[in-house]
């Protein structure tokens, strides 16, 4: 072995020793600094405690519903709120919820699904088409549309409830399902979100190449753009679904017929029942009904969270 090879081996050993020494120092620094180290952002006792407290705060209402839905009405009023009752009555409560008042809860549940499918589904579809058109086409008045959308986002929905009621009263649509569906078709935030997402997710060069190859605008949209917009579509759909599912004030002023109530108004009516003269206290049914109400939303978030997270992160990095 000549001197050149010996020097190369010695240099390689020195380099390996330096790498091991640097890695050891990096691990010590990571254990000490936690999130301040971008290479190892998983160790931070303080941040872990904060996140755990925040998680407990968010999960506490769900835990309360889960525990108290297992109690009878007598146990609900006589036992500790965060403790189990003397008997496990979850299944009996569920059966009673769907049988109480002639099974009106099932009607409310079906109404809510209809409002979500037609209202939130339509709002998502309109947001997709409108956002894509505003992002990828140039036409007169485009800047005005941008200003109107930004202004509409800043207006709280509750401020428009009374004008909407007066308008629908003139049209004779109050106390009908259309009073819930038509206002839900408009989601200014969803439109703005799809506008920004379409501008970032669909390259103009890709659209130009498709047009050069002879693809029409509809084919370009459905076969090329729509798959790229999937994360934004799911994100918009989740926001509109939650907004429609939890809508309370709009159906409160629009709908008086109990057969067209959504779950939010129906459960609130059950809650207020105990306050009326001779009313029967059914807090256990209200709690159980509330638990049933949130299950579809929980399932939707669990199934679609990966698309939702991707949608929120899209466009955050400029290439």
């Amino acid at each position: 072995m000549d001197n050149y090879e010996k020097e190369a081996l010695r240099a390689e050993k020195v380099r390996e020793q330096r790498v091991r020494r640097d890695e050891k120092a990096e691990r010590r620094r990571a254990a000490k600094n936690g999130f301040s180290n971008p290479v190892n952002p998983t160790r931070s006792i303080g941040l872990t405690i904060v996140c755990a407290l925040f998680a407990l705060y968010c999960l506490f209402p769900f835990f309360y519903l889960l525990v108290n839905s297992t109690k009878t009405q007598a146990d609900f009023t006589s036992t500790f709120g965060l403790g189990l009752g003397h008997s496990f009555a979850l299944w009996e409560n569920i059966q009673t919820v769907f049988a109480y008042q002639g099974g009106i809860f099932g009607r409310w549940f079906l109404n809510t699904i209809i409002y979500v499918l037609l209202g939130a589904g339509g709002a998502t579809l309109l947001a997709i088409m409108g956002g894509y058109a505003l992002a990828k086409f140039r036409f007169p008045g485009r800047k005005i549309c941008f200003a109107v959308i930004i202004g509409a986002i800043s207006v709280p929905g509750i401020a428009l409830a009374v004008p909407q009621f007066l308008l629908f009263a003139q049209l004779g649509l109050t106390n009908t399902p259309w009073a819930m569906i038509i206002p839900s078709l408009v989601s200014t935030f969803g439109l703005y979100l799809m506008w920004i997402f379409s501008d970032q997710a669909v390259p103009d060069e890709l659209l130009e190449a498709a047009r050069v190859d002879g693809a029409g605008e509809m084919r370009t949209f459905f076969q090329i753009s729509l798959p790229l917009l999937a994360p934004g579509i799911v994100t918009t759909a989740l926001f509109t679904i939650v907004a429609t599912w939890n809508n309370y004030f709009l159906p409160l002023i629009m709908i008086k017929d109990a057969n067209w109530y959504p779950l939010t108004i129906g459960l609130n009516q059950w809650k207020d029942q105990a306050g009326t003269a001779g009313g029967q206290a059914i807090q256990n049914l209200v709690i159980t009904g509330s638990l049933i109400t949130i299950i579809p939303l929980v399932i939707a978030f669990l199934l679609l969270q990966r698309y939702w997270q991707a949608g929120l992160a899209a466009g955050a990095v400029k290439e």
Side-chain angles (χ1 to χ4, degrees):
M1 180 179 296
D2 56 17
N3 292 333
Y4 178 78
E5 292 178 348
K6 291 180 180 179
E7 290 295 333
L9 291 175
R10 189 179 298 110
E12 180 64 22
K13 290 181 179 179
V14 172
R15 189 189 69 81
E16 291 177 355
Q17 292 175 355
R18 185 173 65 252
V19 169
R20 286 195 296 267
R21 186 170 58 252
D22 293 343
E23 289 178 348
K24 186 177 181 180
E26 182 67 21
R27 284 193 294 270
R28 287 199 302 267
R29 191 174 72 87
K32 179 180 179 181
N33 299 331
F35 254 101
S36 64
N37 176 19
V39 179
N40 184 21
T42 59
R43 298 182 181 180
S44 176
I45 297 177
L47 188 60
T48 301
I49 294 174
V50 172
C51 291
L53 293 175
F54 185 73
L56 289 175
Y57 173 79
C58 295
L59 293 175
F60 180 79
F62 182 76
F63 175 76
Y64 179 83
L65 289 178
L66 191 61
V67 169
N68 287 275
S69 62
T70 64
K71 300 179 181 180
T72 62
Q73 178 61 29
D75 287 343
F76 182 83
T77 57
S78 62
T79 59
F80 179 57
L82 299 180
L84 295 174
H86 301 295
S87 60
F88 188 83
L90 177 61
W91 180 242
E92 290 79 1
N93 287 340
I94 294 175
Q95 289 180 317
T96 307
V97 164
F98 282 98
Y100 189 71
Q101 291 184 345
I104 191 66
F105 182 85
R107 177 64 184 266
W108 295 340
F109 198 94
L110 180 61
N111 292 341
T112 305
I113 292 177
I114 293 174
Y115 299 151
V116 168
L117 290 178
L118 297 181
T124 304
L125 180 62
L126 293 176
I128 294 168
M129 295 189 297
Y132 177 80
L134 289 169
K136 296 304 176 183
F137 294 95
R138 300 296 181 265
F139 53 88
R142 183 172 174 269
K143 293 183 178 180
I144 297 178
C145 290
F146 179 79
V148 170
I149 292 172
I150 295 299
I153 292 176
S154 63
V155 178
I158 194 171
L160 302 176
V162 174
Q164 286 176 348
F165 172 78
L166 297 176
L167 176 61
F168 277 75
Q170 292 292 329
L171 296 175
L173 295 178
T174 55
N175 209 28
T176 67
W178 297 110
M180 272 291 296
I181 295 172
I182 295 177
S184 300
L185 290 174
V186 179
S187 174
T188 51
F189 177 75
L191 177 60
Y192 177 74
L193 181 63
M194 287 307 303
W195 183 352
I196 301 302
F197 190 87
S198 299
D199 187 56
Q200 296 290 330
V202 182
D204 293 334
E205 296 79 7
L206 188 61
L207 300 180
E208 293 173 1
R211 291 162 183 161
V212 169
D213 290 339
E217 293 299 335
M218 295 298 292
R219 183 179 178 184
T220 301
F221 174 72
F222 284 103
Q223 294 188 2
I224 297 177
S225 301
L226 205 59
L228 298 175
L229 296 175
I233 293 172
V234 173
T235 304
T236 304
L238 282 174
F239 280 123
T240 54
I241 287 172
V242 172
T244 306
W245 192 277
N246 294 332
N247 200 343
Y248 176 79
F249 190 72
L250 182 64
L252 179 65
I253 66 173
M254 288 287 191
I255 300 176
K256 300 303 179 184
D257 186 358
N259 290 322
W260 291 114
Y261 280 170
L263 287 168
T264 51
I265 302 299
L267 289 174
N268 185 69
Q269 185 189 59
W270 280 4
K271 178 184 71 67
D272 295 337
Q273 178 176 315
T276 60
Q280 179 185 4
I282 52 171
Q283 286 94 338
N284 62 321
L285 301 187
V286 175
I287 292 295
T288 306
S290 301
L291 178 66
I292 297 172
T293 299
I294 67 174
I295 288 176
L297 293 180
V298 173
I299 293 174
F301 269 89
L302 291 177
L303 293 178
L304 302 176
Q305 62 174 337
R306 59 193 182 100
Y307 296 104
W308 182 57
Q309 292 169 352
L312 290 180
V317 178
K318 182 177 180 181
E319 297 180 356

